Amino acid sequence: MRILASPAASQVVPGVLGFLVVAAMGLALFFLLRSMNKHLRKVVREPRWREETGGQEPGDGDGPQDQSEPDYSRNGSGQA
C-alpha cells in the first residue's frame, strides 16, 4: 500500500508552477482591465464640433452640399 507515492510517469500533474502561472495571468488580466476602464472613462462622449455647432450635423447648416463624407467602413486598408 503506497500512501505518499509519486505520480506515475504517464500522469500529468501541474503542481505549484502551473498554479503560479495561472495566478500571474489572472493578476495581469485584473490590472489590464482596470487600466482599460480608466482609459474608457476619459473618452469624450460627444465630439467637440457638435458642441460648437449646437448639436447640428455638419450638413444641416449652410455650406457646400456636394461634399461627401469619407467612407470609413474599410478602416483605412484601401481594400474592399
Side-chain angles (χ1 to χ4, degrees):
M1 181 170 160
R2 298 188 314 184
I3 296 175
L4 297 174
S6 62
S10 63
Q11 291 181 339
V12 177
V13 180
V16 176
L17 181 63
F19 172 75
L20 290 177
V21 168
V22 171
M25 289 175 61
L27 193 64
L29 179 65
F30 171 76
F31 283 113
L32 283 171
L33 289 175
R34 191 170 129 192
S35 174
M36 181 190 68
N37 283 331
K38 189 183 300 183
H39 282 84
L40 284 176
R41 274 189 242 119
K42 293 180 184 178
V43 173
V44 178
R45 300 242 189 273
E46 288 292 323
R48 242 181 241 145
W49 59 265
R50 266 199 197 158
E51 294 172 1
E52 293 170 357
T53 60
Q56 293 181 345
E57 292 292 323
D60 291 346
D62 295 332
Q65 300 296 325
D66 57 353
Q67 290 181 350
S68 62
E69 189 172 322
D71 181 21
Y72 294 113
S73 63
R74 290 188 251 165
N75 199 16
S77 65
Q79 298 175 355

